[in-house]
Amino acid sequence: MKTVNKILRVLTVVFGLASLVLFFTSFVTIVTDADITLVGAKLAFGGEVDFADTPLAKSADILLCFWLTVIGLALSIFSFKSKKLRYAAPGFGLAATIYMLVVLLAGPFKFVDVRPLAYSDITSMTYTPFVLFTVIALGLFTIAGIAHLFLDDYIEVLESKGEKLTIAKRVIRFLKDYKSEYKKIVWPGWRDVLKNTVIVLIMCLIIGALIWIVDFGLGKLLELILTA
């Protein structure tokens, strides 16, 4: 079981690294007078193309996916030293996977800013297959990270001989405690709500009036100083 856990940890890093590398492949093809191929990383950070020295179209969404991937990969690598980071890595991977999937399904016209280019000359703009490969790699990175998290937690519970609880049991216990605390809440009646609402409104009016008086007085004082 420990061997499988180590393999999952390594696979998490491998899939994360593969996802990052895919950002340096061609993501978008723009057909104008000449075909323009935009690399994912340059599309995120900006740059220039050789086509009439036109500024490169940018995508803040792909930039966000790129940084989510970088952070997730870094956390998965550092989790070899600190096990606390194993919880955060799949979270960033999941966020990057979902966001990148939305970018893929919505199409490039919604997520690629082509305003720097001559929009009227663009006949078509399509994603390359590498965008799909990036989504798949991010998905595998997330799945491997979650599998490693649960398996590593299960091994720790076995080694503790029942002193620790698994993640699932901790979540169930938290929900039960939350439910018991929720039942202890005493909700005020409508009369108390109405009375407290009126008190809050009155205090807001009083404080607002005081602020207006102070502001008006300071304004008049400033006028006297400036006209003196």
Side-chain angles (χ1 to χ4, degrees):
M1 189 176 293
K2 290 184 178 180
T3 304
V4 175
N5 188 37
K6 291 180 180 179
I7 293 174
L8 286 173
R9 178 180 291 184
V10 173
L11 285 177
T12 302
V13 176
V14 170
F15 288 135
L17 185 60
S19 303
L20 186 62
V21 171
L22 284 170
F23 276 96
F24 293 90
T25 59
S26 59
F27 264 33
V28 178
T29 299
I30 300 177
V31 178
T32 57
D33 295 337
D35 293 347
I36 303 174
T37 301
L38 305 179
V39 177
K42 288 187 177 180
L43 187 61
F45 290 97
E48 288 187 356
V49 295
D50 296 332
F51 180 67
D53 294 328
T54 306
L56 182 67
K58 297 180 181 180
S59 175
D61 303 279
I62 294 178
L63 175 63
L64 177 59
C65 293
F66 177 85
W67 282 118
L68 288 173
T69 305
V70 170
I71 296 172
L73 176 60
L75 290 173
S76 64
I77 294 174
F78 290 133
S79 66
F80 282 85
K81 293 293 184 180
S82 176
K83 286 190 175 183
K84 294 181 179 179
L85 297 176
R86 63 184 179 176
Y87 294 95
F92 280 93
L94 181 61
T97 303
I98 294 174
Y99 207 142
M100 202 66 197
L101 182 60
V102 172
V103 170
L104 172 64
L105 296 178
F109 280 98
K110 289 186 178 294
F111 291 99
V112 178
D113 184 8
V114 293
R115 287 176 296 179
L117 302 174
Y119 186 80
S120 58
D121 295 335
I122 297 176
T123 56
S124 67
M125 182 166 58
T126 57
Y127 285 134
T128 66
F130 289 106
V131 180
L132 176 60
F133 297 156
T134 305
V135 174
I136 294 174
L138 286 171
L140 293 174
F141 166 66
T142 304
I143 293 172
I146 294 174
H148 161 65
L149 170 63
F150 279 93
L151 183 58
D152 195 42
D153 181 73
Y154 181 71
I155 293 173
E156 288 185 356
V157 172
L158 290 179
E159 292 177 348
S160 68
K161 297 180 180 180
E163 294 181 3
K164 294 183 178 181
L165 297 176
T166 60
I167 295 175
K169 290 183 178 180
R170 291 201 297 268
V171 171
I172 293 173
R173 186 176 64 177
F174 170 78
L175 294 176
K176 288 182 177 179
D177 293 340
Y178 177 81
K179 183 179 179 180
S180 62
E181 292 297 326
Y182 179 79
K183 290 181 178 179
K184 297 178 183 178
I185 297 175
V186 179
W187 298 100
W190 68 270
R191 290 185 178 180
D192 293 333
V193 174
L194 180 62
K195 181 180 67 175
N196 294 334
T197 302
V198 171
I199 292 173
V200 170
L201 291 176
I202 292 174
M203 291 303 300
C204 288
L205 290 174
I206 293 173
I207 294 174
L210 290 175
I211 293 174
W212 179 82
I213 292 172
V214 173
D215 181 69
F216 181 78
L218 291 176
K220 290 297 183 181
L221 179 62
L222 184 61
E223 289 181 4
L224 292 175
I225 293 174
L226 293 176
T227 55

